Amino acid sequence: VLSYIGERKHTVLAAPTGSGKTEMAIALAKVILLQGQRTLFVTERLTLLSQAHGRFDKYGMQVGLLGGGEDTYRASDDVHVATIQTLHNRIDDSQRMFPTKTLDYGLIIIDEVHIWHSGYDKLIASGCPVLGLSATPHNERLGHHFDEMVTCSSVADLIRMGFLAPARIFQPEAQIDTRGVARSVGDFASAAMGRKAKVINGDVIANWKQWGE
């Protein structure tokens, strides 16, 4: 990943849930800081803003926030954490851009990059190297915007190494018919899939007695 960043390539880091993608991002941000530059960490949900702030702060990094009414960034910060919604509006308003009139970062990290927002186009076009984090990089748009993809350990590997608990999977014999279900940002649209999933598959009472009690 560092070699791709050095070549200013846009890269997707694909790793399973629970593999430590945020920890990897923090390690990369520290490397960027040692090079005299700061990192922009972008979330797509407001609930992740304070969570990301806490993770970077835990490792002693000076963090500035932008989003959800927070406007606490400074040019001297090591990392800026922002929601894409607020950042998108701020980029459009050049008089309120932070902390300078241009995006000037050693690295831009986009969390949950498979959930594509139109504002990401501007980050990709900024000239800064961009790293996208995802456990499910199946959105076809990623192939149009990113140059490389780095994959980490699989779920099976992480279970074998003791980092994830082994899972027992149960499913009804009858499968949901996904033909004709609309898609959104690379996945099934939740409303359309919800209508399909309303159909009860299997014997609820018998299944509960067998597996739930």
Side-chain angles (χ1 to χ4, degrees):
V1 174
L2 284 172
S3 64
Y4 290 145
I5 293 172
E7 296 171 15
R8 307 192 74 77
K9 288 184 175 180
H10 301 325
T11 308
V12 173
L13 176 59
T17 301
S19 61
K21 289 187 292 297
T22 303
E23 301 296 313
M24 298 179 210
I26 292 170
L28 290 169
K30 284 197 165 189
V31 173
I32 296 301
L33 183 61
L34 290 174
Q35 296 173 354
Q37 297 177 292
R38 60 178 172 266
T39 296
L40 172 63
F41 188 90
V42 183
T43 73
E44 58 91 23
R45 281 183 290 167
L46 183 59
T47 54
L48 298 177
L49 188 73
S50 59
Q51 178 180 317
H53 174 276
R55 299 286 285 278
F56 281 101
D57 182 67
K58 173 185 174 182
Y59 288 93
M61 303 188 78
Q62 186 66 43
V63 187
L65 291 178
L66 180 64
E70 297 285 350
D71 210 346
T72 61
Y73 55 84
R74 297 180 298 274
S76 59
D77 291 330
D78 303 327
V79 180
H80 290 148
V81 178
T83 61
I84 185 55
Q85 293 83 1
T86 301
L87 182 61
H88 180 90
N89 295 333
R90 189 63 58 92
I91 294 173
D92 284 341
D93 185 351
S94 62
Q95 298 305 311
R96 300 175 62 216
M97 189 55 216
F98 72 101
T100 62
K101 295 293 180 65
T102 60
L103 285 170
D104 182 20
Y105 293 94
L107 178 63
I108 296 175
I109 301 174
I110 302 176
D111 195 25
E112 305 290 353
V113 71
H114 56 277
I115 305 175
W116 193 262
H117 292 263
S118 59
Y120 293 160
D121 294 330
K122 296 180 180 180
L123 300 183
I124 293 290
S126 68
C128 305
V130 177
L131 178 69
L133 307 179
S134 178
T136 54
H138 307 312
N139 189 329
E140 62 183 17
R141 297 184 187 181
L142 300 181
H144 298 296
H145 295 288
F146 287 84
D147 306 304
E148 306 287 348
M149 183 166 72
V150 175
T151 57
C152 297
S153 300
S154 66
V155 171
D157 290 334
L158 293 172
I159 291 174
R160 186 166 52 252
M161 291 185 287
F163 292 106
L164 295 179
R168 297 175 66 201
I169 301 173
F170 304 96
Q171 67 180 43
E173 293 182 6
Q175 299 298 302
I176 297 175
D177 183 2
T178 60
R179 289 176 297 181
V181 178
R183 289 179 175 269
S184 175
V185 293
D187 202 350
F188 291 116
S190 57
M193 179 56 81
R195 288 191 292 271
K196 285 279 189 177
K198 283 182 179 180
V199 178
I200 297 177
N201 296 293
D203 189 326
V204 176
I205 303 300
N207 291 161
W208 174 256
K209 287 182 176 180
Q210 183 179 5
W211 306 112
E213 293 183 341

